[in-house]
Amino acid sequence: MSEKIQETQEKLKDLGYFASENLAKIVLLFEASGKRDKRSIPTLLLQ
């Protein structure tokens, strides 16, 4: 899972965001939950 977290960090960095490992893990989990459950749209608000 570490590789996927690093990929997520890179994607966020390309978009202009700095993401710690923990934040990248949360984003990755939210993305995965949206793929599993098509009935709901996962929403993540980052400040």
Side-chain angles (χ1 to χ4, degrees):
M1 185 159 168
S2 179
E3 290 177 22
K4 289 185 179 186
I5 292 171
Q6 289 176 348
E7 288 174 13
T8 302
Q9 284 177 306
E10 288 298 319
K11 287 179 187 177
L12 290 169
K13 185 178 179 182
D14 291 343
L15 294 171
Y17 296 100
F18 170 77
S20 66
E21 185 175 340
N22 288 332
L23 182 59
K25 190 183 300 184
I26 291 169
V27 171
L28 184 63
L29 291 173
F30 266 85
E31 182 183 30
S33 70
K35 291 178 182 176
R36 281 183 282 154
D37 185 9
K38 300 204 184 253
R39 292 177 293 164
S40 65
I41 300 170
T43 304
L44 177 64
L45 177 64
L46 302 175
Q47 181 175 355

